[in-house]
């Protein structure tokens, strides 16, 4: 069950980090104002907290693994929020990143 919990935490973390970055982007680049920027900063801080809830206690492993989730999640966010259309290389790269994340985070280890 800890793998399912870990994946759920990665998804929640991605929503906060990617969403927070998107809100800051909208506030600055799209001139939506300080409220958007402030909401983004709060979301980014929340992401930092959510990442600490991972069952694995190794900071480097968790953050390196999250990188794969961030890559794939960013492509999905761009599709949903901004109408971005990834090409086959975007999708292939995202799948490679997710495979790397799975190896780093969930490979059997003898401790």
């Amino acid at each position: 069950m800890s793998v399912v919990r870990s994946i759920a935490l990665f998804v929640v973390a991605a929503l906060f980090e990617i969403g927070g970055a998107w809100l800051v982007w909208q506030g600055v680049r799209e001139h939506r104002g300080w409220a958007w920027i402030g909401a983004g900063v709060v979301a980014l801080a929340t992401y930092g907290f959510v990442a600490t809830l991972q069952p694995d206690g190794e900071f480097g492993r968790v953050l390196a693994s999250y990188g794969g989730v961030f890559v794939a999640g960013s492509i999905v966010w761009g599709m949903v929020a901004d109408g971005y259309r990834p090409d086959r290389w975007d999708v292939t790269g995202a799948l490679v990143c997710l495979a790397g994340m799975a190896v780093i985070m969930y490979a059997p280890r003898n401790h």
Side-chain angles (χ1 to χ4, degrees), residues 43-87:
L44 288 166
T46 304
Y47 148 74
F49 176 76
V50 171
T52 69
L53 301 175
Q54 280 291 337
D56 191 305
E58 295 294 334
F59 175 82
R61 181 176 299 138
V62 170
L63 269 286
S65 298
Y66 176 69
V69 176
F70 180 81
V71 169
S74 295
I75 290 174
V76 172
W77 189 282
M79 291 170 59
V80 172
D82 289 327
Y84 171 68
R85 297 291 172 245
D87 63 22

Side-chain angles (χ1 to χ4, degrees), residues 35-48:
W36 286 68
I37 295 167
V41 169
V42 169
L44 288 166
T46 304
Y47 148 74

Side-chain angles (χ1 to χ4, degrees):
M1 192 56 141
S2 69
V3 171
V4 173
R5 178 176 184 259
S6 174
I7 291 170
L9 286 168
F10 277 132
V11 170
V12 171
L15 290 173
F16 280 112
E17 186 183 20
I18 298 164
W22 184 82
L23 286 166
V24 171
W25 179 282
Q26 293 296 307
V28 175
R29 300 274 310 237
E30 303 298 327
H31 309 289
R32 296 196 179 198
W34 286 102
W36 286 68
I37 295 167
V41 169
V42 169
L44 288 166
T46 304
Y47 148 74
F49 176 76
V50 171
T52 69
L53 301 175
Q54 280 291 337
D56 191 305
E58 295 294 334
F59 175 82
R61 181 176 299 138
V62 170
L63 269 286
S65 298
Y66 176 69
V69 176
F70 180 81
V71 169
S74 295
I75 290 174
V76 172
W77 189 282
M79 291 170 59
V80 172
D82 289 327
Y84 171 68
R85 297 291 172 245
D87 63 22
R88 65 184 172 159
W89 300 111
D90 295 325
V91 172
T92 301
L95 292 173
V96 168
C97 289
L98 288 174
M101 176 280 261
V103 169
I104 292 168
M105 193 70 187
Y106 307 120
R109 291 185 166 79
N110 296 325
H111 289 131

